[in-house]
Amino acid sequence: MKSHEKLTTASGRPFVENENSQSVGSRGPLLLQDYILHEKMAHFNRERIPERVVHAKGSGAFGTFTVTHDITKYTKAKLFSEIGKETKVIMRFSTVGGERGSADTERDPRGFSIKFYTEDGNWDLVGNNTPVFFVKDPKKFGDFIHTQKRDPYTNMKSPTMMWDYWSLNPESLHQVLILMSDRGTPYGYRHMHGFGSHTFSMINVANERTYVKFHFITAQGIKNFNNEEAAEMKSRDMDFAQRDLFENIDSGNFPQWNLQIQVMTEEQANSQDYYLNPFDVTKVWPHADFPLIDVGVLELNQNPHNYFQDIEQVAFAPAHIVDGIGYSPDKMLQGRLLSYPDAQRYRLGTNYEQIPVNRCPFATNNYQRDGQMRVDGNGGSNPNYFPNSFDSMEIDQTYKEPPMEVFSDFADWYDRNCEGENDHYTQPGNLFKIMAPEQQQNTIHNIISHMSGIEGPKKEEIVNRQLSHFYRVDGRIGAGVAEGLGVDVDLLER
């Protein structure tokens, strides 16, 4: 008999909840006291030096965001205060799983992150080129990313690890289907959409909160490589996406994206009658229920003068919001509020926001002092404590946010995939149905190509488990992939 070992913290404390973060009710915000979440994410953020743990291979540029439509009834954020207002931005695109030296045409989600330099501070919208994500609880994030990196035994990428994890977490199906379509190999960065992915909130001058999704729609039109074209480009130019972005901006062909939002009232979000959880990042809000609203245009028009200075050192964190924009009980967002600034402090140092590309161009006032690479005068002879009798710094109560309604008085570890939260098949199925026939065939072909890399003694178990999920999404995917892999479908449990 094989002896079983207890799952413990680094200090040896056995614990139970390794996949669900503690929250106030099943849909409420996460609790700071969930130390297991902190330990998992803090250790994960420190696994690689010096490049980013994820999103290591990236490209970026400076530009402007211009308001074209009035949304002041939803938000008092100053960057949206009037039509025609311009805000300077820096934007970074990236692959997710590859190292800095990897090819940027790999099959992978793409990071899509923007820093808005506003007069109320820097707003970081840290997203992807997909509206959903693979997992819905931050405790799962480090485990998921491990499967996208290198096998600790072989030190090679492993389709076996990837499909083993995905097949054991059917909540990933929506994102997996997008990844395995040709959208998983975009033709550079100019021809893909960008999404905030998470649910955020907006607060207006009356202190009324609404919930919001951010969509950046490419003005260049969607354009993708198919599987074979992406592989061929990888062999010819490891930096295709970087070259395409840089050369187009350098020649004056400035790429643009149109910002649109979806809006949901607090009453709608808090209603238990709506059929999906609006704070579940594995789901989209149907456009028929929450139509897109035009906001403005983002344009990239200036390449950085030094890549390392401005792109490698740029640091994004979804915790960085501005007055008029807020958070939501989205569990993955709540986890990122903690882990992203922590990752930047580890990678760049505790004073990373003093690096010019990260520094707010307007006034910053606080009592933070000392630390490595302090370069801003360190507060001079001013007091380093609050309150005090000597300086004129004060709190402006007009920036106070309204309270957020929570859904329960009970703090517990809730199963994120309990009854009512476990429909992992409808939205991926709807996505497949709206694909053109050629895209459907390409998606099935790409899945077969990727799953063909599964190997080892658990191959049959992993393949069959994933095929069962694909059959539930759409029988055509299950049958097509099974045929391509040479699997006898009569032996599958469906």
Side-chain angles (χ1 to χ4, degrees):
M1 284 285 291
K2 182 180 178 181
S3 62
H4 293 281
E5 299 170 330
K6 292 180 180 178
L7 179 66
T8 74
T9 66
S11 62
R13 169 193 164 196
F15 67 96
V16 175
E17 291 291 347
N18 194 38
E19 292 189 289
N20 299 302
S21 300
Q22 191 179 31
S23 62
V24 181
S26 63
R27 294 191 176 185
L30 302 184
L31 297 184
L32 189 62
Q33 69 186 31
D34 190 344
Y35 170 73
I36 309 303
L37 170 62
H38 298 185
E39 178 172 284
K40 287 188 73 172
M41 293 311 304
H43 187 279
F44 175 73
N45 284 337
R46 289 160 174 79
E47 288 180 356
R48 304 284 188 275
I49 58 172
E51 69 181 28
R52 289 169 169 87
V53 179
V54 287
H55 300 278
K57 176 70 179 267
S59 305
F62 293 95
T64 55
F65 172 75
T66 305
V67 177
T68 58
H69 292 75
D70 183 7
I71 60 165
T72 54
K73 68 178 179 179
Y74 302 121
T75 179
K76 57 186 175 181
K78 291 179 181 176
L79 78 157
F80 299 121
S81 61
E82 57 182 338
I83 293 175
K85 180 158 186 176
E86 290 189 357
T87 301
K88 291 183 178 180
V89 304
I90 187 169
M91 190 167 173
R92 186 177 185 269
F93 309 93
S94 58
T95 54
V96 176
E99 297 93 346
R100 275 196 66 190
S102 61
D104 55 20
T105 49
E106 295 273 12
R107 182 169 302 282
D108 208 356
R110 299 300 191 271
F112 192 102
S113 298
I114 312 162
K115 187 183 294 291
F116 298 81
Y117 298 103
T118 91
E119 57 264 56
D120 260 347
N122 294 343
W123 172 37
D124 291 350
L125 189 59
V126 190
N128 285 323
N129 70 328
T130 59
V132 294
F133 195 63
F134 295 93
V135 293
K136 60 173 79 173
D137 192 287
K139 271 189 182 171
K140 292 187 173 186
F141 183 73
D143 296 301
F144 161 67
I145 292 297
H146 283 166
T147 71
Q148 310 300 297
K149 293 288 190 176
R150 294 185 178 272
D151 187 315
Y153 176 55
T154 66
N155 194 41
M156 293 185 289
K157 292 292 188 75
S158 170
T160 306
M161 291 199 307
M162 296 180 189
W163 288 102
D164 185 36
Y165 189 84
W166 289 335
S167 67
L168 289 166
N169 287 274
E171 69 198 72
S172 67
L173 274 165
H174 199 171
Q175 176 78 318
V176 167
L177 200 62
I178 296 173
L179 178 63
M180 290 297 147
S181 75
D182 287 344
R183 288 173 65 184
T185 50
Y187 187 92
Y189 298 127
R190 297 181 302 119
H191 293 279
M192 66 183 196
H193 298 330
F195 303 89
S197 299
H198 299 292
T199 299
F200 294 88
S201 58
M202 283 184 164
I203 301 165
N204 64 16
V205 291
N207 254 7
E208 298 165 329
R209 176 183 281 108
T210 52
Y211 289 105
V212 62
K213 294 271 195 182
F214 294 101
H215 302 246
F216 287 84
I217 307 302
T218 176
Q220 289 71 240
I222 290 287
K223 187 177 180 181
N224 299 312
F225 290 116
N226 65 30
N227 199 50
E228 288 66 36
E229 290 168 341
E232 194 275 334
M233 181 56 72
K234 174 182 174 181
S235 70
R236 283 199 294 122
D237 187 354
M238 301 275 282
D239 303 313
F240 169 79
Q242 163 76 16
R243 194 180 315 281
D244 178 73
L245 180 69
F246 184 90
E247 290 181 352
N248 273 276
I249 294 175
D250 206 39
S251 66
N253 184 28
F254 302 142
Q256 293 184 340
W257 287 262
N258 297 308
L259 173 59
Q260 298 176 315
I261 59 173
Q262 290 177 284
V263 174
M264 182 185 294
T265 66
E266 272 196 306
E267 290 73 24
Q268 289 171 317
N270 294 342
S271 171
Q272 300 297 313
D273 297 330
Y274 193 58
Y275 70 95
L276 61 82
N277 177 357
F279 308 119
D280 180 351
V281 75
T282 66
K283 305 291 194 300
V284 296
W285 295 359
H287 291 188
D289 295 340
F290 305 97
L292 294 172
I293 300 169
D294 290 319
V295 181
V297 176
L298 186 149
E299 177 183 272
L300 296 182
N301 48 37
Q302 181 189 333
N303 281 316
H305 295 299
N306 183 279
Y307 178 90
F308 179 85
Q309 172 184 276
D310 293 329
I311 305 304
E312 189 59 23
Q313 291 193 119
V314 68
F316 300 95
H320 296 161
I321 55 174
V322 294
D323 189 40
I325 298 172
Y327 310 128
S328 82
D330 181 325
K331 303 299 182 297
M332 281 297 294
L333 172 61
Q334 296 249 322
R336 293 174 82 203
L337 301 181
L338 170 78
S339 63
Y340 269 60
D342 182 56
Q344 307 297 4
R345 294 182 193 106
Y346 165 68
R347 192 172 68 90
L348 298 170
T350 190
N351 292 310
Y352 74 92
E353 290 183 270
Q354 293 178 33
I355 298 172
V357 71
N358 298 321
R359 188 171 58 226
C360 176
F362 302 93
T364 57
N365 303 291
N366 55 54
Y367 295 93
Q368 297 173 12
R369 298 289 190 272
D370 308 341
Q372 292 179 328
M373 297 299 292
R374 189 83 197 195
V375 296
D376 66 345
N378 202 34
S381 60
N382 295 323
N384 63 352
Y385 60 94
F386 179 89
N388 68 76
S389 304
F390 302 99
D391 67 21
S392 58
M393 207 181 306
E394 60 183 24
I395 294 171
D396 186 344
Q397 292 291 341
T398 63
Y399 285 85
K400 183 176 175 62
E401 286 191 13
M404 179 182 291
E405 181 179 347
V406 296
F407 304 93
S408 175
D409 295 327
F410 298 95
D412 203 346
W413 289 267
Y414 293 89
D415 182 0
R416 301 289 170 236
N417 293 299
C418 64
E419 192 68 31
E421 301 281 356
N422 59 353
D423 179 4
H424 309 308
Y425 306 105
T426 299
Q427 288 203 352
N430 291 340
L431 173 63
F432 188 75
K433 287 181 179 66
I434 65 173
M435 291 181 182
E438 180 186 1
Q439 281 300 308
Q440 291 178 342
Q441 286 305 117
N442 284 358
T443 301
I444 292 172
H445 170 73
N446 297 340
I447 293 171
I448 295 168
S449 176
H450 204 277
M451 288 186 70
S452 295
I454 301 174
E455 57 189 8
K458 295 287 188 179
K459 175 180 178 178
E460 184 177 343
E461 177 184 333
I462 294 168
V463 168
N464 289 349
R465 188 164 55 222
Q466 186 62 44
L467 283 175
S468 295
H469 294 315
F470 281 143
Y471 268 106
R472 291 183 178 100
V473 171
D474 191 297
R476 292 170 293 177
I477 304 179
V481 175
E483 181 181 2
L485 294 176
V487 175
D488 186 348
V489 299
D490 293 331
L491 300 179
L492 287 179
E493 179 181 339
R494 284 184 266 168

